Amino acid sequence: MNASASVNPSSDQTETLTDGFHVLVEALKANGLDTLYGVIGIPVTDVARIAQAKGIRYIGMRHEADAANAAAAHGYLTGAPGAFLTVSAPGFLNGLAPLREATENGFPCIQFGGSSDRATVDLQEGQYEGLDQRAYAVPFAKASYRIDRIEDIGLGVVRAIRAASSGRPGGVYVDLPDSLLSQTMDAQAAKETIFSALDPAPAMIPSEESVERALELLEQAKNPLIFLGKGAAYARADEEIADFIHKTGIPYQPMSMAKGLLPDDDPQCTASCRGLAMRTADVVLMIGARLNWMLGFGKGRHWNPDVKFIQIDIDPVEIENARPIAAPIVGDIKSTMKLMVEGLAHHSIHASAEWQQLLDADTKKNDARFGSKTTEVTDPMNHYNALGAVKEVIDAHQDVIIVNEGANTLDDCRDIVAMYKPRQRLDCGTWGVMGIGTGYAIAAAVATGKSVVSIHGDSAFGFDGMEVETICRYKLPVTVMVFNNGGIYRGDFENLGTDGDPSPLTLDATAHYEKMMEAFGGKGYYATTPAEVKQYLSEAIESKAPALIHVQLSIHSGVESGHISDLNPQPIVGPLAGGHEMEDFNEKVVDGKLVQESPAASTN
Ligand code: ADP
Ligand code: TPW
Ligand code: MG
């Protein structure tokens, strides 16, 4: 008998006994978990097979970290937890770092981890892939559970969903020992153990006083400013937020993943003059954005020293994380913004015309300066003019979801490529993680059916590039773009020693990443000019089929650490003390290959 014959999905309805595999799958289905990402093996192989047989879409990935990232993005994009499946110990551990990252980002997802025989694991007898996984997951997950009895599977699934979705969403671990999966019980009795989580992410209405205090503060403000974060995008309060912004005329700043919540070309969007807006705002309303490192913790030289904050967050512990808050509002953004809009009936709140003019003038100046960089002709291309071409294509394809990772490739893309619709930009997130890209892109295509453009630095792509095979195997409408400047940050760093090895930052500028896609049947493109980027990207998006565009950049394009070089500690002595200048190579693309005509420049 072959393995698939041992799983007979049609016969189990008539059996009097059922087992842990089937109860788990039924519990997932009863709770609307219709997609599983994962890598299978002992003991979860048949979880995936039975799930697929029962109508759950199973996406088999090439690495658990990518499966975890896919589940996290699925959760963010759908508003319900994404789920992924891992094998015992090594597979489980591969999923843990991204589970922690999902929690940091506030993305709801659940890792279902198969684990080995508990009795021998707990006595450390040397079991195959033996690890006390539930305990290992505790500091990594928002919650960590183990289901030991078949009759508790329904309960365990519901607890995981509620923990992942409610309050600030996050990553939850559920341990599934092998003995659980093979336990049996009466099929009819098992049905009665399964139930659906009722309202797992309930509205959290803020107190009237807190909303009133915030409105009063805004009423007194001369230069009010709004920050929109990915919590605001996740909250799906698009109309309430747009209504409040447009009725008050308050300028706003989108954080990276909140781009598109209102279209980037909205006249109140002041993304191009963030520095001036932060230095001059007197009251700032934070909607689903943390005052963490990304915003200088809300204090210091970037901010008006007299600024007062209003902070809306579902997590009460987030309030006053790093500084006093004049008007905290603990509640969900949708309910809160509805009350804020209603409150406008008895509060007169408007940004001053002078301030708006000041911001508009700065925006104009910055846009002109930056815009010229995106159209400047260089050979080879740099990040700016390559992304200028991407921007034009995305302007004409506003439904596309953008995934973005790298350093300069991330920062410059965020600044150059405009977004027009909510929840269509996914990126490295709060921790600035490399290796999220292809997992996020796969989930974006699977969860929404939309076309996805996944824009990676050449280093970033190295973390998760093997998933191009998954993109091809499932025929997903994903266009991968690899921005190759030959390294981490750029490709012209020198080995400061004498062994002749590449520098620690150097990667292969002359590689042909498009061949990776061709290896699996997708379409590969090699682009050396902005015109080619435009042509190939339009063609690839419209094909709705797997494609990879290798975007050949100069090895001098990019700056060390991208836009966060101030976080990079500098040596005080030695050749790197006080920063280092780069001399220019004479490089060009000849016959589809980047060539250097002179030796490497000195870095000191
Ligand atoms: P960004 O990186 O875009 O600035 P953050 O991830 O730092 O955004 O902040 C998102 C914040 O939004 C988190 O503090 C989270 O608790 C909060 N949040 C998430 N969902 C909601 C919601 N539905 N209502 C209120 N706050 C939310
Ligand atoms: C999991 C450290 C930050 S940015 C980056 C690394 C390795 C790569 C930047 O080079 P890339 O982009 O992608 O080629 P570009 O355009 O600037 O050349 N490991 C993890 N996460 C992070 N953030 C790092 C390492 C890092
Ligand atoms: Mg690079």
Side-chain angles (χ1 to χ4, degrees):
M1 190 170 85
N2 68 28
S4 60
S6 69
V7 180
N8 186 345
S10 57
S11 74
D12 51 42
Q13 301 304 325
T14 54
E15 305 279 354
T16 53
L17 278 186
T18 187
D19 57 30
F21 294 99
H22 287 83
V23 178
L24 176 64
V25 167
E26 291 306 331
L28 298 179
K29 284 181 63 176
N31 282 280
L33 293 184
D34 57 5
T35 309
L36 258 182
Y37 302 88
V39 179
I40 57 85
I42 297 170
V44 294
T45 308
D46 286 348
V47 172
R49 279 205 190 112
I50 294 165
Q52 193 174 52
K54 296 284 187 177
I56 291 178
R57 186 154 196 215
Y58 181 79
I59 307 290
M61 311 277 291
R62 303 304 298 260
H63 194 283
E64 291 84 357
D66 305 329
N69 284 318
H74 194 101
Y76 173 73
L77 290 169
T78 61
F84 69 105
L85 194 60
T86 55
V87 303
S88 35
F92 156 77
L93 289 169
N94 281 344
L96 266 198
L99 192 73
R100 182 71 192 81
E101 289 151 23
T103 305
E104 195 65 28
N105 283 326
F107 296 169
C109 64
I110 305 172
Q111 175 173 5
F112 290 97
S115 61
S116 301
D117 170 61
R118 281 203 57 198
T120 46
V121 168
D122 287 351
L123 266 176
Q124 300 186 13
E125 292 181 35
Q127 183 52 267
Y128 166 73
E129 296 185 351
L131 191 74
D132 183 2
Q133 295 177 188
R134 197 203 71 80
Y136 273 72
V138 168
F140 288 82
K142 188 177 171 196
S144 177
Y145 303 112
R146 174 182 285 132
I147 308 176
D148 281 301
R149 301 181 301 200
I150 186 171
E151 62 269 31
D152 290 339
I153 289 176
L155 177 66
V157 168
V158 166
R159 282 194 57 62
I161 288 173
R162 192 169 283 282
S165 334
S166 59
R168 176 187 292 164
V172 171
Y173 179 65
V174 179
D175 198 54
L176 306 171
D178 52 7
S179 55
L180 171 79
L181 296 170
S182 53
Q183 272 175 50
T184 56
M185 73 182 286
D186 177 77
Q188 192 52 41
K191 274 194 186 139
E192 284 155 27
T193 64
I194 292 171
F195 62 108
S196 313
L198 184 63
D199 197 9
M204 311 268 275
I205 317 283
S207 77
E208 269 175 43
E209 297 88 317
S210 67
V211 174
E212 192 55 28
R213 195 187 295 126
L215 290 167
E216 279 168 15
L217 192 58
L218 279 173
E219 199 161 19
Q220 293 154 20
K222 267 209 187 113
N223 298 352
L225 181 66
I226 291 174
F227 267 86
L228 300 175
K230 58 182 172 298
Y234 181 78
R236 290 158 174 76
D238 309 349
E239 275 177 31
E240 292 83 351
I241 290 171
D243 216 16
F244 189 80
I245 287 178
H246 290 146
K247 282 188 170 143
T248 59
I250 298 178
Y252 72 91
Q253 291 281 329
M255 298 300 285
S256 189
M257 282 182 53
K259 272 169 71 79
L261 186 44
L262 277 79
D264 275 347
D265 57 3
D266 187 292
Q268 286 170 249
C269 178
T270 50
S272 304
C273 62
R274 174 165 296 184
L276 180 67
M278 284 167 61
R279 284 194 305 277
T280 52
D282 59 353
V283 174
V284 176
L285 167 60
M286 306 296 299
I287 309 182
R290 279 171 279 188
L291 284 170
N292 57 13
W293 68 275
M294 282 193 196
L295 292 173
F297 306 99
K299 54 195 177 187
R301 66 192 166 90
H302 297 297
W303 292 96
N304 171 1
D306 299 321
V307 66
K308 292 195 169 93
F309 282 96
I310 301 164
Q311 188 176 13
I312 304 175
D313 208 291
I314 201 159
D315 181 359
V317 179
E318 188 56 40
I319 307 289
E320 289 175 333
N321 66 307
R323 58 154 295 140
I325 298 295
I329 304 182
V330 177
D332 79 87
I333 288 166
K334 198 169 173 72
S335 308
T336 304
M337 291 314 296
K338 191 165 171 280
L339 294 174
M340 297 277 281
V341 170
E342 284 167 14
L344 293 178
H346 51 270
H347 288 279
S348 165
I349 297 175
H350 301 286
S352 74
E354 300 82 44
W355 195 48
Q356 186 69 54
Q357 280 158 14
L358 185 76
L359 298 178
D360 287 348
D362 198 51
T363 299
K364 227 182 233 159
K365 197 178 75 202
N366 294 338
D367 283 352
R369 204 175 49 206
F370 206 67
S372 66
K373 286 206 225 175
T374 62
T375 49
E376 188 191 2
V377 178
T378 62
D379 181 21
M381 285 184 283
N382 59 35
H383 288 87
Y384 299 120
N385 49 27
L387 286 162
V390 174
K391 175 191 161 37
E392 285 187 44
V393 177
I394 298 305
D395 282 351
H397 296 85
Q398 297 186 4
D399 254 340
V400 162
I401 295 183
I402 300 281
V403 175
N404 190 198
E405 61 176 339
N408 297 280
T409 302
L410 174 88
D411 293 329
D412 296 336
C413 178
R414 181 183 54 238
D415 289 349
I416 293 169
V417 176
M419 304 303 302
Y420 300 95
K421 296 189 180 169
R423 295 170 292 282
Q424 288 194 175
R425 189 185 148 82
L426 293 157
D427 65 29
C428 304
T430 300
W431 269 359
V433 183
M434 298 303 117
I436 48 86
T438 53
Y440 281 11
I442 287 167
V446 167
T448 69
K450 290 186 178 176
S451 290
V452 179
V453 174
S454 192
I455 305 175
H456 313 242
D458 55 324
S459 164
F461 182 67
F463 290 75
D464 56 2
M466 191 63 204
E467 299 297 345
V468 295
E469 188 277 331
T470 308
I471 293 170
C472 290
R473 189 161 24 100
Y474 289 90
K475 301 182 177 58
L476 298 174
V478 176
T479 304
V480 175
M481 303 186 82
V482 180
F483 275 54
N484 189 3
N485 60 352
I488 298 177
Y489 311 135
R490 52 194 276 162
D492 55 359
F493 291 96
E494 270 271 87
N495 177 341
L496 298 177
T498 53
D499 61 12
D501 280 344
S503 96
L505 298 97
T506 302
L507 299 167
D508 188 352
T510 64
H512 277 273
Y513 289 99
E514 74 281 8
K515 293 194 191 302
M516 285 179 65
M517 188 56 101
E518 289 167 0
F520 302 109
K523 175 95 179 150
Y525 298 94
Y526 180 76
T528 60
T529 63
E532 285 174 356
V533 170
K534 265 182 76 173
Q535 182 196 328
Y536 299 157
L537 183 56
S538 306
E539 196 178 304
I541 291 172
E542 281 152 25
S543 77
K544 292 200 160 281
L548 190 153
I549 305 174
H550 178 138
V551 180
Q552 184 65 61
L553 302 185
S554 160
I555 61 172
H556 311 301
S557 184
V559 292
E560 185 170 333
S561 305
H563 293 190
I564 53 173
S565 53
D566 55 323
L567 299 179
N568 196 29
Q570 294 294 319
I572 306 302
V573 297
L576 296 177
H580 41 286
E581 297 279 310
M582 295 289 178
E583 272 177 39
D584 270 359
F585 289 76
N586 183 13
E587 57 173 352
K588 57 185 176 185
V589 180
V590 181
D591 295 336
K593 212 168 166 62
L594 188 73
V595 291
Q596 313 298 330
E597 291 193 327
S598 59
S602 152
T603 56
N604 52 20

mmCIF file of all heavy atoms in Angstrom, residues 10-43:
data_model
loop_
_atom_site.group_PDB
_atom_site.id
_atom_site.type_symbol
_atom_site.label_atom_id
_atom_site.label_comp_id
_atom_site.label_asym_id
_atom_site.label_seq_id
_atom_site.Cartn_x
_atom_site.Cartn_y
_atom_site.Cartn_z
ATOM 1 N N SER A 10 -12.038 10.294 2.285
ATOM 2 C CA SER A 10 -13.482 10.117 2.153
ATOM 3 C C SER A 10 -14.027 9.093 3.141
ATOM 4 O O SER A 10 -15.198 9.108 3.473
ATOM 5 C CB SER A 10 -13.814 9.697 0.726
ATOM 6 O OG SER A 10 -13.096 8.509 0.445
ATOM 7 N N SER A 11 -13.153 8.220 3.651
ATOM 8 C CA SER A 11 -13.688 7.137 4.471
ATOM 9 C C SER A 11 -13.859 7.515 5.931
ATOM 10 O O SER A 11 -14.651 6.945 6.636
ATOM 11 C CB SER A 11 -12.768 5.922 4.386
ATOM 12 O OG SER A 11 -11.604 6.174 5.133
ATOM 13 N N ASP A 12 -13.120 8.586 6.399
ATOM 14 C CA ASP A 12 -13.090 8.780 7.839
ATOM 15 C C ASP A 12 -14.426 9.259 8.413
ATOM 16 O O ASP A 12 -14.669 9.143 9.605
ATOM 17 C CB ASP A 12 -11.929 9.697 8.255
ATOM 18 C CG ASP A 12 -11.915 10.979 7.456
ATOM 19 O OD1 ASP A 12 -12.997 11.543 7.246
ATOM 20 O OD2 ASP A 12 -10.830 11.375 7.040
ATOM 21 N N GLN A 13 -15.318 9.777 7.549
ATOM 22 C CA GLN A 13 -16.629 10.201 8.058
ATOM 23 C C GLN A 13 -17.419 9.018 8.595
ATOM 24 O O GLN A 13 -18.224 9.169 9.504
ATOM 25 C CB GLN A 13 -17.444 10.865 6.938
ATOM 26 C CG GLN A 13 -16.779 12.081 6.313
ATOM 27 C CD GLN A 13 -16.433 13.145 7.335
ATOM 28 O OE1 GLN A 13 -17.181 13.332 8.295
ATOM 29 N NE2 GLN A 13 -15.312 13.813 7.171
ATOM 30 N N THR A 14 -17.171 7.852 8.025
ATOM 31 C CA THR A 14 -17.976 6.700 8.428
ATOM 32 C C THR A 14 -17.304 5.894 9.534
ATOM 33 O O THR A 14 -17.896 4.997 10.111
ATOM 34 C CB THR A 14 -18.206 5.768 7.230
ATOM 35 O OG1 THR A 14 -16.919 5.446 6.693
ATOM 36 C CG2 THR A 14 -19.038 6.433 6.158
ATOM 37 N N GLU A 15 -16.032 6.230 9.832
ATOM 38 C CA GLU A 15 -15.336 5.501 10.897
ATOM 39 C C GLU A 15 -15.933 5.905 12.242
ATOM 40 O O GLU A 15 -16.375 7.024 12.425
ATOM 41 C CB GLU A 15 -13.850 5.869 10.895
ATOM 42 C CG GLU A 15 -13.143 5.655 9.585
ATOM 43 C CD GLU A 15 -12.733 4.220 9.373
ATOM 44 O OE1 GLU A 15 -12.909 3.418 10.307
ATOM 45 O OE2 GLU A 15 -12.265 3.906 8.268
ATOM 46 N N THR A 16 -15.881 4.997 13.193
ATOM 47 C CA THR A 16 -16.336 5.389 14.528
ATOM 48 C C THR A 16 -15.218 6.050 15.309
ATOM 49 O O THR A 16 -15.466 6.803 16.226
ATOM 50 C CB THR A 16 -16.871 4.177 15.313
ATOM 51 O OG1 THR A 16 -15.862 3.176 15.278
ATOM 52 C CG2 THR A 16 -18.159 3.676 14.716
ATOM 53 N N LEU A 17 -13.955 5.754 14.907
ATOM 54 C CA LEU A 17 -12.822 6.366 15.600
ATOM 55 C C LEU A 17 -12.225 7.472 14.738
ATOM 56 O O LEU A 17 -12.249 7.403 13.520
ATOM 57 C CB LEU A 17 -11.731 5.322 15.846
ATOM 58 C CG LEU A 17 -11.876 4.410 17.045
ATOM 59 C CD1 LEU A 17 -10.624 3.549 17.193
ATOM 60 C CD2 LEU A 17 -12.146 5.190 18.327
ATOM 61 N N THR A 18 -11.685 8.474 15.393
ATOM 62 C CA THR A 18 -10.881 9.450 14.651
ATOM 63 C C THR A 18 -9.537 9.570 15.358
ATOM 64 O O THR A 18 -9.313 8.957 16.409
ATOM 65 C CB THR A 18 -11.600 10.805 14.532
ATOM 66 O OG1 THR A 18 -10.827 11.644 13.665
ATOM 67 C CG2 THR A 18 -11.770 11.483 15.878
ATOM 68 N N ASP A 19 -8.622 10.379 14.781
ATOM 69 C CA ASP A 19 -7.300 10.516 15.408
ATOM 70 C C ASP A 19 -6.911 11.994 15.511
ATOM 71 O O ASP A 19 -7.620 12.877 15.007
ATOM 72 C CB ASP A 19 -6.243 9.724 14.620
ATOM 73 C CG ASP A 19 -6.167 10.145 13.172
ATOM 74 O OD1 ASP A 19 -6.451 11.332 12.884
ATOM 75 O OD2 ASP A 19 -5.838 9.293 12.313
ATOM 76 N N GLY A 20 -5.777 12.241 16.148
ATOM 77 C CA GLY A 20 -5.332 13.613 16.390
ATOM 78 C C GLY A 20 -5.136 14.409 15.112
ATOM 79 O O GLY A 20 -5.447 15.609 15.071
ATOM 80 N N PHE A 21 -4.617 13.763 14.065
ATOM 81 C CA PHE A 21 -4.408 14.459 12.790
ATOM 82 C C PHE A 21 -5.729 15.074 12.303
ATOM 83 O O PHE A 21 -5.805 16.243 11.955
ATOM 84 C CB PHE A 21 -3.930 13.478 11.701
ATOM 85 C CG PHE A 21 -2.577 12.886 11.942
ATOM 86 C CD1 PHE A 21 -2.452 11.610 12.483
ATOM 87 C CD2 PHE A 21 -1.431 13.587 11.610
ATOM 88 C CE1 PHE A 21 -1.206 11.049 12.686
ATOM 89 C CE2 PHE A 21 -0.173 13.036 11.813
ATOM 90 C CZ PHE A 21 -0.055 11.758 12.356
ATOM 91 N N HIS A 22 -6.755 14.213 12.275
ATOM 92 C CA HIS A 22 -8.029 14.653 11.709
ATOM 93 C C HIS A 22 -8.716 15.685 12.593
ATOM 94 O O HIS A 22 -9.318 16.639 12.099
ATOM 95 C CB HIS A 22 -8.954 13.445 11.482
ATOM 96 C CG HIS A 22 -8.522 12.606 10.319
ATOM 97 N ND1 HIS A 22 -7.552 11.642 10.426
ATOM 98 C CD2 HIS A 22 -8.902 12.632 9.016
ATOM 99 C CE1 HIS A 22 -7.364 11.075 9.232
ATOM 100 N NE2 HIS A 22 -8.175 11.669 8.361
ATOM 101 N N VAL A 23 -8.616 15.497 13.904
ATOM 102 C CA VAL A 23 -9.273 16.463 14.795
ATOM 103 C C VAL A 23 -8.599 17.832 14.640
ATOM 104 O O VAL A 23 -9.268 18.873 14.582
ATOM 105 C CB VAL A 23 -9.231 15.975 16.262
ATOM 106 C CG1 VAL A 23 -9.864 17.013 17.187
ATOM 107 C CG2 VAL A 23 -9.961 14.641 16.398
ATOM 108 N N LEU A 24 -7.283 17.816 14.526
ATOM 109 C CA LEU A 24 -6.566 19.088 14.357
ATOM 110 C C LEU A 24 -7.030 19.799 13.087
ATOM 111 O O LEU A 24 -7.345 21.000 13.099
ATOM 112 C CB LEU A 24 -5.048 18.833 14.295
ATOM 113 C CG LEU A 24 -4.195 20.070 14.016
ATOM 114 C CD1 LEU A 24 -4.304 21.095 15.138
ATOM 115 C CD2 LEU A 24 -2.727 19.681 13.809
ATOM 116 N N VAL A 25 -7.083 19.058 11.996
ATOM 117 C CA VAL A 25 -7.479 19.668 10.724
ATOM 118 C C VAL A 25 -8.908 20.209 10.816
ATOM 119 O O VAL A 25 -9.204 21.329 10.360
ATOM 120 C CB VAL A 25 -7.322 18.650 9.572
ATOM 121 C CG1 VAL A 25 -8.024 19.132 8.310
ATOM 122 C CG2 VAL A 25 -5.830 18.395 9.305
ATOM 123 N N GLU A 26 -9.792 19.458 11.450
ATOM 124 C CA GLU A 26 -11.180 19.935 11.583
ATOM 125 C C GLU A 26 -11.241 21.184 12.457
ATOM 126 O O GLU A 26 -12.025 22.107 12.198
ATOM 127 C CB GLU A 26 -12.090 18.834 12.154
ATOM 128 C CG GLU A 26 -12.318 17.656 11.199
ATOM 129 C CD GLU A 26 -12.843 18.074 9.813
ATOM 130 O OE1 GLU A 26 -13.541 19.102 9.711
ATOM 131 O OE2 GLU A 26 -12.516 17.392 8.818
ATOM 132 N N ALA A 27 -10.404 21.227 13.496
ATOM 133 C CA ALA A 27 -10.402 22.407 14.379
ATOM 134 C C ALA A 27 -9.896 23.638 13.630
ATOM 135 O O ALA A 27 -10.417 24.741 13.799
ATOM 136 C CB ALA A 27 -9.541 22.133 15.609
ATOM 137 N N LEU A 28 -8.874 23.454 12.787
ATOM 138 C CA LEU A 28 -8.366 24.578 11.985
ATOM 139 C C LEU A 28 -9.469 25.085 11.056
ATOM 140 O O LEU A 28 -9.718 26.290 10.948
ATOM 141 C CB LEU A 28 -7.147 24.153 11.152
ATOM 142 C CG LEU A 28 -5.905 23.673 11.920
ATOM 143 C CD1 LEU A 28 -4.797 23.271 10.930
ATOM 144 C CD2 LEU A 28 -5.387 24.744 12.864
ATOM 145 N N LYS A 29 -10.132 24.129 10.404
ATOM 146 C CA LYS A 29 -11.183 24.518 9.455
ATOM 147 C C LYS A 29 -12.336 25.234 10.159
ATOM 148 O O LYS A 29 -12.865 26.235 9.670
ATOM 149 C CB LYS A 29 -11.717 23.280 8.724
ATOM 150 C CG LYS A 29 -10.756 22.788 7.647
ATOM 151 C CD LYS A 29 -11.294 21.591 6.917
ATOM 152 C CE LYS A 29 -12.572 21.912 6.153
ATOM 153 N NZ LYS A 29 -13.020 20.751 5.371
ATOM 154 N N ALA A 30 -12.703 24.721 11.315
ATOM 155 C CA ALA A 30 -13.829 25.327 12.044
ATOM 156 C C ALA A 30 -13.513 26.772 12.421
ATOM 157 O O ALA A 30 -14.403 27.577 12.664
ATOM 158 C CB ALA A 30 -14.133 24.505 13.301
ATOM 159 N N ASN A 31 -12.219 27.089 12.474
ATOM 160 C CA ASN A 31 -11.817 28.442 12.847
ATOM 161 C C ASN A 31 -11.340 29.264 11.660
ATOM 162 O O ASN A 31 -10.687 30.292 11.831
ATOM 163 C CB ASN A 31 -10.743 28.381 13.935
ATOM 164 C CG ASN A 31 -11.359 28.096 15.290
ATOM 165 O OD1 ASN A 31 -11.887 29.006 15.923
ATOM 166 N ND2 ASN A 31 -11.353 26.836 15.708
ATOM 167 N N GLY A 32 -11.649 28.798 10.472
ATOM 168 C CA GLY A 32 -11.355 29.586 9.272
ATOM 169 C C GLY A 32 -9.883 29.634 8.884
ATOM 170 O O GLY A 32 -9.494 30.456 8.058
ATOM 171 N N LEU A 33 -9.060 28.776 9.477
ATOM 172 C CA LEU A 33 -7.643 28.748 9.057
ATOM 173 C C LEU A 33 -7.569 27.927 7.774
ATOM 174 O O LEU A 33 -7.504 26.707 7.798
ATOM 175 C CB LEU A 33 -6.757 28.154 10.151
ATOM 176 C CG LEU A 33 -6.641 28.981 11.433
ATOM 177 C CD1 LEU A 33 -5.672 28.350 12.420
ATOM 178 C CD2 LEU A 33 -6.207 30.404 11.146
ATOM 179 N N ASP A 34 -7.584 28.614 6.649
ATOM 180 C CA ASP A 34 -7.739 27.915 5.376
ATOM 181 C C ASP A 34 -6.429 27.755 4.616
ATOM 182 O O ASP A 34 -6.404 27.233 3.511
ATOM 183 C CB ASP A 34 -8.769 28.640 4.495
ATOM 184 C CG ASP A 34 -8.387 30.092 4.255
ATOM 185 O OD1 ASP A 34 -7.289 30.509 4.678
ATOM 186 O OD2 ASP A 34 -9.194 30.814 3.636
ATOM 187 N N THR A 35 -5.320 28.243 5.196
ATOM 188 C CA THR A 35 -4.018 28.141 4.530
ATOM 189 C C THR A 35 -2.968 27.754 5.551
ATOM 190 O O THR A 35 -2.954 28.289 6.663
ATOM 191 C CB THR A 35 -3.618 29.501 3.907
ATOM 192 O OG1 THR A 35 -4.702 29.981 3.113
ATOM 193 C CG2 THR A 35 -2.379 29.374 3.040
ATOM 194 N N LEU A 36 -2.118 26.803 5.179
ATOM 195 C CA LEU A 36 -0.999 26.409 6.046
ATOM 196 C C LEU A 36 0.279 26.521 5.227
ATOM 197 O O LEU A 36 0.350 25.995 4.114
ATOM 198 C CB LEU A 36 -1.149 24.935 6.432
ATOM 199 C CG LEU A 36 -1.660 24.502 7.794
ATOM 200 C CD1 LEU A 36 -1.639 22.971 7.866
ATOM 201 C CD2 LEU A 36 -0.868 25.093 8.942
ATOM 202 N N TYR A 37 1.273 27.197 5.770
ATOM 203 C CA TYR A 37 2.603 27.206 5.166
ATOM 204 C C TYR A 37 3.457 26.244 5.976
ATOM 205 O O TYR A 37 3.190 26.017 7.156
ATOM 206 C CB TYR A 37 3.204 28.614 5.232
ATOM 207 C CG TYR A 37 2.343 29.654 4.534
ATOM 208 C CD1 TYR A 37 1.316 30.320 5.220
ATOM 209 C CD2 TYR A 37 2.527 29.955 3.190
ATOM 210 C CE1 TYR A 37 0.513 31.266 4.583
ATOM 211 C CE2 TYR A 37 1.724 30.904 2.543
ATOM 212 C CZ TYR A 37 0.723 31.553 3.251
ATOM 213 O OH TYR A 37 -0.073 32.477 2.615
ATOM 214 N N GLY A 38 4.493 25.674 5.401
ATOM 215 C CA GLY A 38 5.315 24.816 6.242
ATOM 216 C C GLY A 38 6.358 24.019 5.507
ATOM 217 O O GLY A 38 6.530 24.126 4.284
ATOM 218 N N VAL A 39 7.092 23.264 6.305
ATOM 219 C CA VAL A 39 8.025 22.249 5.806
ATOM 220 C C VAL A 39 7.693 20.991 6.604
ATOM 221 O O VAL A 39 7.671 21.032 7.829
ATOM 222 C CB VAL A 39 9.492 22.653 6.057
ATOM 223 C CG1 VAL A 39 10.435 21.560 5.557
ATOM 224 C CG2 VAL A 39 9.832 23.984 5.387
ATOM 225 N N ILE A 40 7.430 19.887 5.897
ATOM 226 C CA ILE A 40 6.948 18.708 6.613
ATOM 227 C C ILE A 40 8.074 17.697 6.880
ATOM 228 O O ILE A 40 9.191 17.839 6.399
ATOM 229 C CB ILE A 40 5.755 18.038 5.906
ATOM 230 C CG1 ILE A 40 6.105 17.657 4.478
ATOM 231 C CG2 ILE A 40 4.530 18.930 5.932
ATOM 232 C CD1 ILE A 40 6.772 16.353 4.327
ATOM 233 N N GLY A 41 7.757 16.688 7.657
ATOM 234 C CA GLY A 41 8.666 15.637 8.099
ATOM 235 C C GLY A 41 8.052 15.065 9.376
ATOM 236 O O GLY A 41 6.942 15.461 9.769
ATOM 237 N N ILE A 42 8.759 14.141 10.036
ATOM 238 C CA ILE A 42 8.239 13.535 11.272
ATOM 239 C C ILE A 42 8.062 14.610 12.343
ATOM 240 O O ILE A 42 8.982 15.400 12.536
ATOM 241 C CB ILE A 42 9.223 12.456 11.785
ATOM 242 C CG1 ILE A 42 9.326 11.317 10.752
ATOM 243 C CG2 ILE A 42 8.826 11.920 13.148
ATOM 244 C CD1 ILE A 42 10.438 10.316 11.042
ATOM 245 N N PRO A 43 6.926 14.709 13.012
ATOM 246 C CA PRO A 43 5.748 13.854 12.937
ATOM 247 C C PRO A 43 4.552 14.503 12.227
ATOM 248 O O PRO A 43 3.434 14.030 12.396
ATOM 249 C CB PRO A 43 5.420 13.689 14.429
ATOM 250 C CG PRO A 43 5.734 15.048 15.012
ATOM 251 C CD PRO A 43 6.884 15.595 14.192
#
